[in-house]
Amino acid sequence: QQPRGAAQGMTAPDFWQQQELRREVLGGDDGGPQNTPMLVAVRTRPLWRSESERGELEIIRVLEERVVLVLDPHEYDQALQPNRTKEKKYAFDCVFDESASQEQVFRGTTRGLIDGVLQGYNASVFAYGATGAGKTYTMLGALDSPGVMVLTLNDMYRRMRTDPQFLECEFKVRLSYMEIYN
């Protein structure tokens, strides 16, 4: 099951399958590292209880699993500020709303990297955002809800053990995980 947006309930296209089809149509490698696809995904989170208690407002909406709509919660005089808009829209390859599970985020993002890694290519995953945005939870998760890094490694090791094409292969796996604060 692919990631689902709460509002539309539609299934998001698989970014990595689209890239594989693109390579097939173009006849293989399309020029090297400079043309390596990059998926940009956004995951929203619900307000914390303390934010709700302070009267903070939810100003983020997910549209069609690809667009983040940021609402302006403040009233303003249109006549005094004619160039100010009440909302901003930002498009991404995929967007996960606050109801998305760790499994849905994994399937929509890092699962597509496993084939390339098993073929000997490197992969990188970056989680970027403000303190408290949910980066560590998304990457590592919790014991009852493992994050995308854990799910990716579990799936990769499962494939290494069970996929017939890898039964005679020997793998050397290296993983780096860094949290950088400024």
Side-chain angles (χ1 to χ4, degrees), residues 57-125:
L57 301 172
E58 289 190 21
I59 61 167
I60 302 292
R61 302 291 183 271
V62 175
L63 306 175
E64 299 177 4
E65 300 174 335
R66 289 182 178 256
V67 175
V68 173
L69 175 68
V70 181
L71 304 172
D72 185 347
H74 303 291
E75 294 295 321
Y76 62 93
D77 188 337
Q78 183 70 33
L80 295 175
Q81 296 173 310
N83 296 326
R84 182 173 175 172
T85 61
K86 291 203 61 89
E87 59 186 42
K88 301 283 186 201
K89 292 180 183 177
Y90 302 93
F92 301 93
D93 293 309
C94 58
V95 178
F96 302 94
D97 66 17
E98 63 272 0
S99 70
S101 69
Q102 297 282 63
E103 180 71 24
Q104 288 172 315
V105 175
F106 159 68
R107 288 180 182 274
T109 59
T110 59
R111 181 177 71 170
L113 297 173
I114 296 171
D115 285 337
V117 169
L118 291 174
Q119 294 172 21
Y121 293 96
N122 294 323
S124 297
V125 178

Side-chain angles (χ1 to χ4, degrees), residues 15 19 31 41 60 68 82 91 110 120 134 136 144 159 170:
F15 176 84
Q19 295 306 315
I60 302 292
V68 173
T110 59
T136 302
D144 62 339
R159 294 239 346 251
E170 188 173 310

